[in-house]
Amino acid sequence: MPYHPQRFIHAANVRLDVPVSVYLSEQLTDELRHQLEDATLLSFDCVIQNCIEQRVDYLLLSGNVFVESDRSLRARLALLQGFRQLQEEAIPVFIIPGDTDPPDAWRAIPELPTNVHFCFSSSPEPIDLEHEGKKITTVSASMWYGETDTFGIRVIHSSPDGIEPFRIGTVSRTSYDESRRMTSLSAAAEDRLIPLEHSTDKTPSDQNSTGQARASNGDVSEYEAGFRNYIRKLMREGKLNYLALGSELTREEMQLETGHVHCPGITQPRNQLEAESGLCSLVVVDVSGNVSIQEINTSAVNWKNMTLRLEPGTELNQLLEQMRNKLADTSCCPSDRIWSVCWILTGPLPVLRSFVEDDLELAMAVELDKLNVTGRSVRLLHQVRMLPDAWDLADPEHLAQQYADLIPQDVELPRDTLIAFLTDTDLSEGWSRRLEALADSIDRQRVLTQLRNDGADWFVSEFEELLSSELLDRDAIETELTVTDSESNGDIAVAESESSSIVSTPAPAVLTVDNNLDDADDLNETNS
């Protein structure tokens, strides 16, 4: 069935005027503070500019464009400015409200341009987009099955010219959970009509299907399979081609036989735990209804993780040069304003400790403060993490070696294991909930680093003991070569000095005295 070819940008989770948090090893200046505060506004402006540059047919915003509870005036002004720019380019905007920007919040914004269209879940009629008098796209946030709704109103119309509109809807795991809960309650109501001897041991509380049930069952694959079947039914009976996946922060794409399900992610992450960069999506639909999705980087603040290995003998200047080269080789997006770079330095613990003593972060803040890219500069903020190697001492009975043998090479901390540990403790309910909320943000590398640093501090008197014999031999050879070269250079310098002194020393003046010279004046004259 033919469709009208179209292009649109899909963005979500803009969260205008929400500040960004980064690690700072230097003093926060006013300029840097303003850049961090304006990051989400800059990312939204990047979305608007991409709509204009890509010459899209429309912009789709699927939830969490701003946070209503913040009551931000800057967010509303940024919205009006961006929408008016699109109005000048005749680009419509379709808005599906989300959790943080409910319909009432949108209704309260005055003087919205006429190119802005809202898709409320309470409205059964989809919003239509026409091109040259033909309906090419429909967008709706309501959930329906079949060609008519519960009141008999026809909501899926057939196109008289044979060109079907590209139909866009919305779905979320929250709506799926609610659907399962309603199904469970309906099944429980039917169970009450069954005689007692035919009843089962299942209760409505056992059959609930909220997010808590997902965690307790522990079978995520079964839940996801049910969610996909729910999507297939929704798209098939609603004749939908594209579903905007709401209530999600991570970028996700599902290509099913019934169509595409997509969440573009976050346009500007608040921190590195959410994402390393912000994205929106350019969606291209061809005449056959095939969908291709291309990601576009929109974040003003990006997070970069870079790993370097340090060997004995590495000096500070050499390390800074390696870092400079690695930064230069990293691709930079047009939207980038700030890079928050986390350097993960691996190597023997004594080598890493020596760079801590040399105040590496201060040297990086001075030497690597900016990255020049195609006529513009990107501000660099640095964080250094040391990940020491596991040591292998010659004496297996040494306390440090016994401690090291207890630490695995890679610390695995599955969420289920942490939750089970919290369940077995005697903590209060409040503390259990706090720690459970932190379970997803535990940094395994930091845990492993802390374990090895503590072991070295507790059981090792001289850190040089942690260097393997191979590294010690190599270091000794390099030191010996350095000394030998220095001595050779010294001998050569001395020889050259002696040679030059022999060549350049003038011959002593020979004084010839003529006995016939009687007076001193004649003698002085001869000497001169």
Side-chain angles (χ1 to χ4, degrees), residues 353-402:
R353 288 282 180 99
S354 66
F355 282 96
V356 174
E357 296 172 357
D358 291 340
D359 207 348
L360 174 60
E361 288 192 345
L362 178 59
M364 295 166 62
V366 174
E367 299 291 335
L368 304 175
D369 60 331
K370 291 182 180 179
L371 176 67
N372 294 320
V373 182
T374 61
R376 63 188 181 91
S377 61
V378 177
R379 185 77 162 83
L380 299 178
L381 304 175
H382 300 281
Q383 177 185 6
V384 179
R385 290 189 183 180
M386 306 287 190
L387 183 58
D389 294 341
W391 55 79
D392 187 11
L393 301 181
D395 182 9
E397 301 300 325
H398 196 291
L399 288 177
Q401 188 57 46
Q402 295 183 41

Side-chain angles (χ1 to χ4, degrees), residues 72-370:
S72 171
L73 179 60
R74 293 208 312 163
R76 283 158 172 76
L77 292 176
L79 280 175
L80 293 173
Q81 181 180 357
F83 292 162
R84 285 167 183 160
Q85 291 183 50
L86 296 181
Q87 185 183 31
E88 294 175 358
E89 302 293 332
I91 299 176
V93 182
F94 295 101
I95 297 175
I96 301 175
D99 298 329
T100 65
D101 56 345
D104 290 341
W106 283 104
R107 293 189 183 101
I109 300 178
E111 300 179 359
L112 281 170
T114 56
N115 64 324
V116 178
H117 309 281
F118 295 102
C119 305
F120 298 133
S121 58
S122 59
S123 175
E125 288 291 333
I127 305 297
D128 300 332
L129 175 63
E130 294 186 353
H131 177 74
E132 297 180 352
K134 297 180 181 179
K135 187 186 301 182
I136 65 170
T137 306
T138 65
V139 185
S140 178
S142 61
M143 310 292 290
W144 72 80
Y145 294 99
E147 297 190 3
T148 60
D149 61 10
T150 55
F151 300 99
I153 301 175
R154 190 176 183 84
V155 294
I156 301 181
H157 301 272
S158 299
S159 178
D161 53 10
I163 302 295
E164 284 295 317
F166 186 77
R167 295 185 174 92
I168 299 175
T170 181
V171 70
S172 66
R173 288 180 171 84
T174 304
S175 63
Y176 173 54
D177 292 338
E178 182 66 18
S179 174
R180 293 183 65 186
R181 190 180 70 85
M182 296 301 294
T183 302
S184 175
L185 293 176
S186 176
E190 293 178 0
D191 287 344
R192 296 191 185 97
L193 302 177
I194 301 176
L196 186 60
E197 59 269 22
H198 296 290
S199 64
T200 62
D201 294 334
K202 293 182 180 180
T203 63
S205 60
D206 296 328
Q207 298 176 3
N208 72 77
S209 55
T210 61
Q212 294 178 351
R214 271 182 269 165
S216 60
N217 292 337
D219 193 353
V220 180
S221 60
E222 181 181 352
Y223 175 85
E224 288 298 322
F227 182 52
R228 287 174 178 254
N229 290 332
Y230 172 77
I231 291 174
R232 290 187 182 95
K233 181 181 179 181
L234 178 64
M235 301 187 76
R236 184 170 51 251
E237 299 190 10
K239 294 186 178 180
L240 300 172
N241 306 98
Y242 185 92
L243 280 177
L245 181 60
S247 302
E248 300 288 338
L249 295 179
T250 56
R251 185 176 178 86
E252 189 171 349
E253 180 180 354
M254 287 185 278
Q255 185 174 359
L256 307 177
E257 65 278 6
T258 51
H260 267 73
V261 184
H262 181 54
C263 174
I266 310 170
T267 56
Q268 174 59 67
R270 291 182 299 180
N271 50 58
Q272 192 175 11
L273 295 177
E274 288 188 343
E276 293 184 356
S277 61
L279 301 169
C280 70
S281 297
L282 173 64
V283 183
V284 180
V285 183
D286 64 13
V287 67
S288 301
N290 298 319
V291 175
S292 62
I293 300 176
Q294 174 187 346
E295 65 179 37
I296 299 176
N297 193 301
T298 57
S299 56
V301 180
N302 271 338
W303 284 264
K304 306 288 183 181
N305 291 322
M306 301 186 181
T307 303
L308 288 176
R309 176 155 188 87
L310 304 184
E311 299 293 346
T314 305
E315 297 182 355
L316 180 59
N317 291 334
Q318 296 174 335
L319 177 57
L320 292 175
E321 187 62 26
Q322 293 178 27
M323 290 178 168
R324 189 176 289 108
N325 294 334
K326 201 168 185 66
L327 289 168
D329 294 338
T330 305
S331 60
C332 182
C333 299
S335 63
D336 291 349
R337 299 290 185 275
I338 297 175
W339 281 5
S340 179
V341 186
C342 179
W343 295 96
I344 303 173
L345 304 182
T346 64
L349 182 60
V351 178
L352 300 181
R353 288 282 180 99
S354 66
F355 282 96
V356 174
E357 296 172 357
D358 291 340
D359 207 348
L360 174 60
E361 288 192 345
L362 178 59
M364 295 166 62
V366 174
E367 299 291 335
L368 304 175
D369 60 331
K370 291 182 180 179

